[in-house]
């Protein structure tokens, strides 16, 4: 087994900005005596697994046995919280470690907003590791009537400065956040946990806007080449024309172009763990995994490649995990890719993003689905 590092158990070094805000907070307390697509075009809706929003606040982090400091409570926002689930502690740690970035906390956040024809779009939260990036953009100045789905005519996402270069390609999916999340059993509910409601025709009533009337567009992107990495790279996101979507048909309402250049963090949160276990009932052996709090890559060796059925390559897929306390997360993975790494089909891989943040050091086993039998087996990875 690999020597693991637990990103959630390490001490957080507070930035100068955080310390300045902390001192200000303490002063107020004292005063008040208060305790693979290149330039991918997306039309239509892609459902994401998601979570309820987390309330912002202030936390106290112990940094020694005799002292404590206050840290800003990083708030990922409604769209990101609906895209990838995380506890309050996980949100704070990933943000402090620069794996996640909350743009509203940046000193120059107002300069990042783009306004065209009265509609303003600005980045809200970005989370990245080697393989996946999750992005949420807040939209103000535009609303739609009930029963209409807001959307863009075109959304382009690419890496680097040349959108035509092969190195610019990414795989992505995106949608307006509609306030629908899965509960612990995978059943869709509203973000406050209440059951879904329907119109008379049976269509679901969506909650696109927040309390301030803003929309959020959420993007999940992954590398095209399984050996590539997003870390430290520049990602461009371009939105064109706002309107409504109906059966994949776009009706324009507001013409405009809102373009963003996002510098992705270069901080790695992944750990490589040697596994070397055969996947029961298959000719695949799980050799190792590269796993982070937000995604994983699984590497297999193959003694005999199975017969393919249309888009089903027969490669086993990790769908969930078992934690050391016995908790089973059956609906963890959310989007990704599988494939063979060589023409002789002697090795294969799976890349998968999550619908929630996990603590890698707490994972005891992987839940693997055998596609040909639609069965699930467990593979232990704990020491």
């Amino acid at each position: 087994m690999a020597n693991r590092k637990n990103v959630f158990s390490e001490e957080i070094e507070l930035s100068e900005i955080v310390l300045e805000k902390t001192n200000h907070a303490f002063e107020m307390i004292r005063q008040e005596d208060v305790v693979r697509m290149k330039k991918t075009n997306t039309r239509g809706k892609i459902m994401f697994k998601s979570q309820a929003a987390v309330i912002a606040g202030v936390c106290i982090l112990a940094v020694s046995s005799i002292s404590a400091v206050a840290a800003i409570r990083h708030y990922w926002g409604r769209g990101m919280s609906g895209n990838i689930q995380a506890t309050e502690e996980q949100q704070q740690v990933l943000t402090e470690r620069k794996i996640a970035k909350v743009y509203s906390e940046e000193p120059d956040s107002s300069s990042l907003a783009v306004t065209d024809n009265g509609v303003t779009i600005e980045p809200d939260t970005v989370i990245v590791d080697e393989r996946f990036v999750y992005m949420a953009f807040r939209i103000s100045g535009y609303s739609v009537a009930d029963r209409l789905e807001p959307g863009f005519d075109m959304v382009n996402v690419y890496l680097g400065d040349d959108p035509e270069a092969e190195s610019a390609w990414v795989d992505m999916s995106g949608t307006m956040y509609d306030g629908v999340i899965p509960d612990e059993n995978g059943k869709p509910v509203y973000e406050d946990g209440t059951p879904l409601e329907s119109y008379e025709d049976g269509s679901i009533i969506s909650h696109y806007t927040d309390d301030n009337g803003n929309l959020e567009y959420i993007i999940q992107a992954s590398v095209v080449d399984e050996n590539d990495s997003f870390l430290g790279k520049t990602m461009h996101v371009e939105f064109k024309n706002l309107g409504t979507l109906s059966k994949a048909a776009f009706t324009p309402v507001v013409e405009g172009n809102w373009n963003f250049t996002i510098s992705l963090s270069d901080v790695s949160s992944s750990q490589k763990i040697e596994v070397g276990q055969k996947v029961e009932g298959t000719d695949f052996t799980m050799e190792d995994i590269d796993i982070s709090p937000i995604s994983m890559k699984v590497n297999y060796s193959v003694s005999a490649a199975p017969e393919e059925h249309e888009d089903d390559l027969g490669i086993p897929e990790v769908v969930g995990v078992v934690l050391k306390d016995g908790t089973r997360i059956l609906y963890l993975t959310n989007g990704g890719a599988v494939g063979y790494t060589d023409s002789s089909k002697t090795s294969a891989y799976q890349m998968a993003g999550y619908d929630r943040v996990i603590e890698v050091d707490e994972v005891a086993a992987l839940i693997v689905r055998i596609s040909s039998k639609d069965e699930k087996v467990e593979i232990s990875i704990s020491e």
Side-chain angles (χ1 to χ4, degrees), residues 53-119:
V54 180
I55 299 173
V58 176
C59 71
I60 303 287
L61 294 179
V63 294
S64 72
S65 60
I66 58 173
S67 65
V69 296
I72 298 302
R73 176 65 68 184
H74 305 290
Y75 176 50
W76 284 5
R78 181 174 181 255
M80 186 59 72
S81 297
N83 188 15
I84 183 165
Q85 206 171 151
T87 66
E88 291 189 8
E89 178 188 5
Q90 290 168 342
Q91 290 192 35
Q92 309 324 304
V93 173
L94 291 186
T95 306
E96 291 293 340
R97 290 297 181 192
K98 302 187 184 305
I99 298 163
K101 183 174 183 178
V102 180
Y103 278 81
S104 61
E105 297 177 358
E106 297 299 303
D108 60 345
S109 60
S110 60
S111 66
L112 302 175
V114 178
T115 300
D116 197 353
N117 271 338
V119 175

Side-chain angles (χ1 to χ4, degrees), residues 204-236:
I204 299 300
I205 299 176
S206 298
H207 298 166
Y208 287 107
T209 58
D210 63 17
D211 292 340
N212 297 315
N214 297 326
L215 301 167
E216 286 199 43
Y217 193 86
I218 49 180
I219 291 173
Q220 177 176 303
S222 60
V223 295
V224 172
D225 184 340
E226 73 274 11
N227 295 313
D228 202 357
S229 172
F230 279 141
L231 297 183
K233 294 189 176 180
T234 300
M235 179 168 284
H236 295 269

Side-chain angles (χ1 to χ4, degrees), residues 158-341:
Y158 64 92
L159 292 171
D161 297 326
D162 181 5
E164 302 301 326
E166 187 173 340
S167 59
W169 297 5
V170 302
D171 287 328
M172 66 83 67
S173 58
T175 186
M176 289 287 184
Y177 178 57
D178 61 2
V180 177
I181 67 168
D183 64 13
E184 58 185 6
N185 298 312
K187 180 181 178 181
V189 296
Y190 291 121
E191 58 190 1
D192 61 1
T194 58
L196 298 185
E197 297 177 340
S198 303
Y199 294 107
E200 292 180 358
D201 63 2
S203 59
I204 299 300
I205 299 176
S206 298
H207 298 166
Y208 287 107
T209 58
D210 63 17
D211 292 340
N212 297 315
N214 297 326
L215 301 167
E216 286 199 43
Y217 193 86
I218 49 180
I219 291 173
Q220 177 176 303
S222 60
V223 295
V224 172
D225 184 340
E226 73 274 11
N227 295 313
D228 202 357
S229 172
F230 279 141
L231 297 183
K233 294 189 176 180
T234 300
M235 179 168 284
H236 295 269
V237 181
E238 301 176 344
F239 300 99
K240 181 178 180 180
N241 299 341
L242 260 171
T244 60
L245 298 169
S246 178
K247 298 180 180 179
F250 176 77
T251 301
V253 176
V254 179
E255 292 187 355
N257 292 279
W258 301 266
N259 301 330
F260 301 88
T261 299
I262 305 294
S263 297
L264 301 178
S265 172
D266 60 358
V267 177
S268 174
S269 58
S270 290
Q271 304 175 40
K272 185 173 182 179
I273 301 175
E274 300 294 335
V275 181
Q277 294 187 46
K278 192 174 186 301
V279 181
E280 183 181 349
T282 76
D283 292 310
F284 290 81
T285 296
M286 186 181 293
E287 296 294 346
D288 58 68
I289 60 173
D290 196 67
I291 183 170
S292 86
I294 63 172
S295 83
M296 74 172 69
K297 180 189 176 188
V298 184
N299 293 309
Y300 299 99
S301 61
V302 189
S303 58
E307 182 180 350
E308 299 178 12
H309 300 280
E310 298 181 350
D311 294 334
D312 185 359
L313 301 181
I315 299 172
E317 296 183 33
V318 176
V319 295
V321 296
V322 181
L323 303 182
K324 291 180 178 178
D325 65 2
T327 301
R328 295 171 60 84
I329 304 176
L330 294 173
Y331 305 99
L332 174 66
T333 55
N334 181 28
V338 296
Y340 291 97
T341 60

